[in-house]
Amino acid sequence: MAQAPSRTSRVSVLVVGGSLSGLSSALFLAAQGVDCLLVEQHPGTSVHPRARLVTARSMELFRSVGLEERVREAGDPGPIGFVVADTLADEHYEPTGDHQDETLAISPTGMRLCDQQLLEPLLVDRAVELGADIRFGTTLVSFEQDADRVTATLRRRDTGETWTVECDYLLAADGIRSPVRGRLGIDRHGPGAMGRSVSAIFDADLTPVLRGRRAMAVIVKRAGAFLFARGNRDSRLWQIGFPYDGTTDDSPQALHERVRHLVRVAAGMPGLEVDVHSAMAWESAALVADRFRSGRVFLVGDAAHAMPPTGGFGGNTGVQDAHNLAWKLAAVLRGAAKEALLDSYDTERRPVADFTVHQTLARLGQTAQAADRATVQLGYTYPAAAHDPASRPDIAEDPFHPSARPGTRAPHVTLRRDGTPISVLDLFGPGFTLLTGPDGGDWIRAAGTIPAAGTGVSLAAYRIGADDSLHCPEGDFLKTYRMGPRSAVLVRPDGFIGWRAEAAGPDPAARLADALAGLHGA
């Protein structure tokens, strides 16, 4: 994938860890035009399914970098949600909660089921297409940082060759036990360990008991286990998960035999032939790092937050970490933003991690009532992100009734561009986006002066409803964004609203430039 490393090299960003969060970091950085190197100690991407649900928010982010259709093709449409049964042979399964994807009403993508071992290669391919340098079988030996750079020593696992990389920033996506976080001395808060479980992948002919039913996730009471359909319609495997108290033999042979027994119990078929592909014991935890930044080093994904798998939020939170940080690093590296902008990664993402961990615990009955699934996916906010302190939102809002206030996700609305349906989200690119109503010509002209002002800021501007080239057939845009025909909304590169204003009034260019400066940490 890459040529043999030289003894010393230079890169803007070094990403340590090549799982879901690290690969997403490399992907979003490359999409921003940032030269980055990712190193991962394992020889390739994950061979275990691990995470399966790709939330609507993550799908929107993958859509923004041209990856949505590949994820759809590799994954499975569902249904999404659990059913309960004594065994798979039961005549009726009892559904738990809503099996419909409610986010389709407020997102152009909705959710998707795509196993991590199918998703990660897609991230690798797209990141490399966009210019990322990804090297498996490579470990971080050590690193040091000063005011100007991070210096890291790397080693090839197959040859033992070591070399030095100098970078502006280092992203630690090295997992729940994160050696980088340990080296930085960053503590974590939260309940801690939540217990051990066994996860196993197996192949078995369950056709006689399923009887044509598409059971994607089953709580099997008689086996005391969870059963998940893995892969996709073209290649179906199964996963079983069950608690592990640590008092029994955990050797591979013993685990495999235990899996075979429980699968037969779950299926209600004592003689079922079960081929166990892999089985591993793992520990769930609920912890959030006390800070996500230390100088020029940032924590991403499980290195920053660990959460139980309930709800499928963990890996997706890491994807969204990566997207939030990538545009900020890009802006600082090209001189468009002040270094202070990077502090907002911690102030924005850490409260979201705390909120999301709380939501996973609520689904386990350990905290107060859980928010609905769509709110966790699409309703989280950045109270510290608002340019106008008076408009700062709470940590989450109902995405079905968006406020369109600064610090909230810019809501999806269907538009027509030259007769073709698109989402307003499709207008957002790697820079900032200004949206105005049909009478917002003054704002559009003001936006045209920004690049000439020497700010280094990338700004696209759209007047919606002025003519048939870009309009909203039902008039939902102004209503959803709570705008008048002369209003304007400024959307950040991560799709969150940063600023809004009513009629342009005197000197709209100065007002817009001031807003952009504030959103860049000035």
Side-chain angles (χ1 to χ4, degrees):
M1 187 174 299
Q3 295 185 2
S6 59
R7 188 172 297 274
T8 304
S9 57
R10 181 74 171 77
V11 69
S12 293
V13 180
L14 173 64
V15 181
V16 179
S19 191
L20 186 57
S21 299
L23 291 171
S24 295
S25 298
L27 170 63
F28 296 136
L29 286 166
Q32 285 281 348
V34 175
D35 62 304
C36 61
L37 167 66
L38 180 147
V39 295
E40 162 57 44
Q41 63 176 334
H42 290 104
T45 54
S46 175
V47 297
H48 202 81
R50 300 169 67 183
R52 177 157 173 78
L53 176 67
V54 185
T55 64
R57 180 60 182 155
S58 294
M59 285 295 290
E60 289 176 358
L61 301 184
F62 292 147
R63 177 188 180 101
S64 73
V65 293
L67 201 56
E68 178 190 4
E69 290 308 314
R70 298 188 201 182
V71 177
R72 290 192 179 283
E73 291 171 3
D76 196 309
I80 295 168
F82 281 87
V83 297
V84 179
D86 282 334
T87 73
L88 292 180
D90 284 5
E91 183 67 23
H92 299 289
Y93 297 162
E94 183 67 28
T96 64
D98 189 357
H99 284 218
Q100 302 301 313
D101 183 359
E102 70 276 18
T103 65
L104 287 171
I106 53 175
S107 169
T109 63
M111 298 183 275
R112 193 70 170 180
L113 299 175
C114 187
D115 294 338
Q116 191 164 333
Q117 93 278 12
L118 300 176
L119 178 58
E120 286 186 358
L122 303 181
L123 301 180
V124 171
D125 291 346
R126 185 59 177 151
V128 171
E129 289 172 5
L130 293 172
D133 185 354
I134 296 179
R135 305 186 189 186
F136 291 100
T138 304
T139 61
L140 174 70
V141 178
S142 63
F143 71 93
E144 300 289 340
Q145 64 170 317
D146 56 32
D148 300 317
R149 67 184 63 83
V150 179
T151 303
T153 300
L154 307 177
R155 175 184 293 128
R156 287 286 308 176
R157 297 195 69 180
D158 53 356
T159 65
E161 177 186 9
T162 62
W163 78 102
T164 300
V165 170
E166 290 186 351
C167 56
D168 294 293
Y169 301 99
L170 185 151
L171 273 56
D174 53 343
I176 189 171
R177 294 181 177 82
S178 183
V180 173
R181 186 189 63 241
R183 169 75 172 77
L184 295 170
I186 297 177
D187 291 330
R188 294 182 290 177
H189 59 271
M194 305 294 293
R196 291 174 62 81
S197 300
V198 171
S199 175
I201 302 300
F202 68 92
D203 196 1
D205 183 10
L206 300 178
T207 304
V209 291
L210 290 176
R211 299 191 295 278
R213 295 174 292 189
R214 282 181 53 76
M216 306 298 293
V218 187
I219 301 172
V220 188
K221 292 190 288 186
R222 188 170 298 178
F226 299 90
L227 209 62
F228 303 95
R230 289 294 196 171
N232 53 38
R233 292 181 178 182
D234 298 326
S235 177
R236 175 67 73 219
L237 290 174
W238 292 89
Q239 177 184 6
I240 189 170
F242 53 90
Y244 174 67
D245 60 12
T247 60
T248 56
D249 186 357
D250 64 352
S251 66
Q253 181 177 357
L255 284 181
H256 282 220
E257 189 54 45
R258 178 67 173 162
V259 168
R260 292 187 190 95
H261 168 71
L262 287 179
V263 170
R264 290 166 183 148
V265 172
M269 299 175 65
L272 180 66
E273 183 176 337
V274 181
D275 180 13
V276 181
H277 292 241
S278 65
M280 65 178 186
W282 60 281
E283 186 171 69
S284 175
L287 291 163
V288 178
D290 291 343
R291 50 197 170 99
F292 285 11
R293 181 187 186 187
S294 178
R296 292 180 170 271
V297 182
F298 299 84
L299 306 182
V300 178
D302 287 351
H305 42 72
M307 58 191 74
T310 308
F313 301 130
N316 289 282
T317 306
V319 172
Q320 293 147 36
D321 290 342
H323 195 261
N324 178 280
L325 183 56
W327 78 266
K328 297 173 180 178
L329 288 170
V332 171
L333 286 166
R334 66 172 177 263
K338 303 294 185 181
E339 177 79 15
L341 176 65
L342 299 180
D343 290 333
S344 69
Y345 172 65
D346 177 84
T347 57
E348 292 180 4
R349 291 304 300 171
R350 186 155 48 89
V352 170
D354 283 323
F355 166 72
T356 310
V357 168
H358 178 86
Q359 288 301 311
T360 64
L361 296 176
R363 283 159 171 75
L364 294 171
Q366 298 193 15
T367 61
Q369 184 176 359
D372 65 80
R373 184 169 55 185
T375 297
V376 183
Q377 293 185 49
L378 298 168
Y380 65 84
T381 68
Y382 297 145
H387 184 58
D388 176 9
S391 66
R392 291 176 179 175
D394 295 327
I395 189 60
E397 68 174 21
D398 179 0
F400 292 97
H401 299 92
S403 67
R405 296 166 67 185
T408 65
R409 165 185 167 269
H412 158 66
V413 176
T414 298
L415 307 177
R416 295 189 75 86
R417 181 163 56 187
D418 297 325
T420 301
I422 64 167
S423 170
V424 68
L425 275 59
D426 296 328
L427 301 178
F428 307 157
F432 281 74
T433 304
L434 184 74
L435 304 176
T436 77
D439 299 332
D442 287 346
W443 288 118
I444 298 297
R445 287 186 287 273
T449 70
I450 298 300
T455 63
V457 174
S458 172
L459 177 64
Y462 299 93
R463 185 158 56 125
I464 297 173
D467 54 48
D468 288 340
S469 64
L470 186 62
H471 74 291
C472 186
E474 305 300 326
D476 288 340
F477 171 72
L478 293 181
K479 179 180 178 182
T480 301
Y481 278 75
R482 307 192 182 202
M483 294 170 60
R486 298 178 183 273
S487 302
V489 166
L490 188 58
V491 181
R492 306 189 323 178
D494 58 355
F496 274 71
I497 295 172
W499 172 85
R500 59 182 297 131
E502 300 308 321
D507 204 354
R511 294 173 64 193
L512 186 55
D514 178 66
L516 284 165
L519 292 168
H520 280 86

